[in-house]
């Protein structure tokens, strides 16, 4: 199987050459692509010297944009995405590809306990995993891992869905589940990254909250909208019962809650149809 390794990199001069050299030594036949996302240091130069093909962005477009550029440039039948900051061990690539060889379309490197960068991020990722498990009906071990192997033709089907920011792992995983492709998880240990993370806690914290809703609307909107609708309907019924007993009348609040519950359900129904059209195969 012909494989390409794609690494998005922004100001990773401290590690990119080491990672590229390790991949080239272990897998000499693999294509190695480093996407330089507007780095202000020698990332592109050092990656090229280490033997990687470099795709450069004239300015920083985001991690997801770098992933898309790398996927378009990759010539392999299988693409391995990994970070250039030293978190991911090139030795684990072989295990991911072995699972692809078993017939899976997407294999995600699932970070084991102790691999998270911080307790807060570990708890947040755990919440995302449980939410995604509920939405898909399948066990999701690591929704946000950026270390993954994927069949190139199937991944390119969803390039238009991927955001330019950091949530491409979430989007691609949910897209593969939604399309009915086979997804597997391979346990890995992620080391502490070298250098400073590009994630900003406050700004990206709000973004991660939006991801929660995006997961629902991306996969099966009714699973998100229907419970909210039912809750509003239940509250409306309780309030109607209370006001009927205490005041002997039907109040405006009850009418508002009943109307809201119906509106939310209809929005979910429309979103479900739009989602189905999003995953309609288009060439």
């Amino acid at each position: 199987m012909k494989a390409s390794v794609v690494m998005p990199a922004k100001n990773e001069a401290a590690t990119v050459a080491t990672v590229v050299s390790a991949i080239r030594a272990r897998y000499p036949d693999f294509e190695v692509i480093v996407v330089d996302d507007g780095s202000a240091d020698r990332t592109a130069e050092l990656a090229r010297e280490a033997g990687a093909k470099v795709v450069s962005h004239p300015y920083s477009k985001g991690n997801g944009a770098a992933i898309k550029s790398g996927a378009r440039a990759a010539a392999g039948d299988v693409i391995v995405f990994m970070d250039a900051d030293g978190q991911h061990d090139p030795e684990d690539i072989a295990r991911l590809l072995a699972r692809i060889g078993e017939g899976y379309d997407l294999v995600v490197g699932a970070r084991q306990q102790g691999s998270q960068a911080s307790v807060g991020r570990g708890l947040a990722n755990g919440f995302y995993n449980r939410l995604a498990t509920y939405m898909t009906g399948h066990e999701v071990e690591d929704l946000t891992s950026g270390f993954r192997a994927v069949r190139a033709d199937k991944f390119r089907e969803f390039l238009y869905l991927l955001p330019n920011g950091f949530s491409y792992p979430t989007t691609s995983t949910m897209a593969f589940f939604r399309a009915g492709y086979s997804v597997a998880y391979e346990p890995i240990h992620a080391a502490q990254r070298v250098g400073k993370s590009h994630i900003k806690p406050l700004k990206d914290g709000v973004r991660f909250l939006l991801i929660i809703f995006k997961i629902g609307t991306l996969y099966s909107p009714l699973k998100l909208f229907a419970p909210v609708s039912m809750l509003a309907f239940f509250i409306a019924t309780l309030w109607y019962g209370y006001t009927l007993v205490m005041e002997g009348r039907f109040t405006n609040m009850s009418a508002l809650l009943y109307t809201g519950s119906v509106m939310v359900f209809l929005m979910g129904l429309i979103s479900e149809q739009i989602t189905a059209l999003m995953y309609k195969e288009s060439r």
Side-chain angles (χ1 to χ4, degrees):
M1 133 185 6
K2 188 176 181 181
S4 298
V5 180
V6 172
M7 293 184 290
K10 180 181 177 182
N11 297 329
E12 302 291 358
T15 56
V16 66
T18 301
V19 176
V20 170
S21 296
I23 296 171
R24 297 286 295 167
R26 179 70 172 79
Y27 313 98
D29 296 330
F30 286 10
E31 177 184 47
V32 181
I33 300 175
V34 172
V35 182
D36 175 31
D37 188 37
S39 296
D41 60 11
R42 299 178 62 220
T43 294
E45 179 184 348
L46 293 174
R48 192 175 290 109
E49 290 176 356
K53 174 183 176 181
V54 176
V55 176
S56 294
H57 289 171
Y59 56 88
S60 180
K61 300 179 181 180
N63 179 265
I67 288 293
K68 289 186 278 190
S69 294
R72 294 186 184 105
D77 303 311
V78 175
I79 304 176
V80 177
F81 296 105
M82 61 185 295
D83 293 342
D85 56 15
Q87 288 191 77
H88 302 142
D89 186 354
E91 293 289 331
D92 292 331
I93 293 176
R95 294 196 289 122
L96 300 186
L97 294 180
R99 302 299 299 277
I100 291 288
E102 293 173 7
Y104 290 100
D105 301 302
L106 169 65
V107 180
V108 180
R111 294 163 292 185
Q112 300 304 289
Q113 188 173 8
S115 294
Q116 305 295 347
S118 67
V119 175
R121 286 180 64 181
L123 292 174
N125 287 336
F127 177 74
Y128 300 147
N129 295 342
R130 287 190 292 273
L131 176 62
T133 296
Y134 161 71
M135 296 303 302
T136 63
H138 300 280
E139 182 67 26
V140 175
E141 297 181 26
D142 195 339
L143 184 64
T144 60
S145 172
F147 191 20
R148 52 189 55 212
V150 62
R151 296 189 186 276
D153 57 340
K154 292 179 170 59
F155 186 79
R156 292 191 183 103
E157 292 177 20
F158 305 114
L159 286 185
Y160 73 99
L161 280 176
L162 302 184
N164 288 339
F166 277 100
S167 60
Y168 103 85
T170 298
T171 306
S172 59
T173 299
M174 300 303 291
F176 268 70
F177 273 123
R178 185 65 171 80
Y181 291 141
S182 301
V183 179
Y185 291 88
E186 184 68 21
I188 64 164
H189 177 78
Q192 189 75 22
R193 66 161 286 136
V194 176
K196 184 179 179 181
S197 173
H198 300 299
I199 294 179
K200 300 176 178 62
L202 182 59
K203 177 182 177 181
D204 292 316
V206 174
R207 180 177 54 80
F208 282 133
L209 287 176
L210 293 177
I211 290 174
I212 295 173
F213 297 102
K214 183 175 181 178
I215 291 172
T217 55
L218 184 68
Y219 190 80
S220 181
L222 269 180
K223 281 194 173 184
L224 187 65
F225 284 90
V228 175
S229 174
M230 292 173 61
L231 178 62
F233 189 89
F234 179 70
I235 294 174
T237 303
L238 286 180
W239 185 251
Y240 174 48
Y242 173 77
T243 56
L244 183 64
V245 171
M246 300 301 294
E247 303 177 19
R249 65 191 182 93
F250 181 77
T251 64
N252 291 337
M253 179 59 72
S254 296
L256 180 63
L257 288 170
Y258 277 125
T259 302
S261 69
V262 173
M263 292 290 290
V264 170
F265 178 77
L266 292 178
M267 287 174 62
L269 198 60
I270 294 171
S271 298
E272 191 79 24
Q273 302 306 313
I274 293 174
T275 301
L277 291 174
M278 285 172 59
Y279 290 99
K280 182 180 180 181
E281 184 176 359
S282 59
R283 295 290 183 181

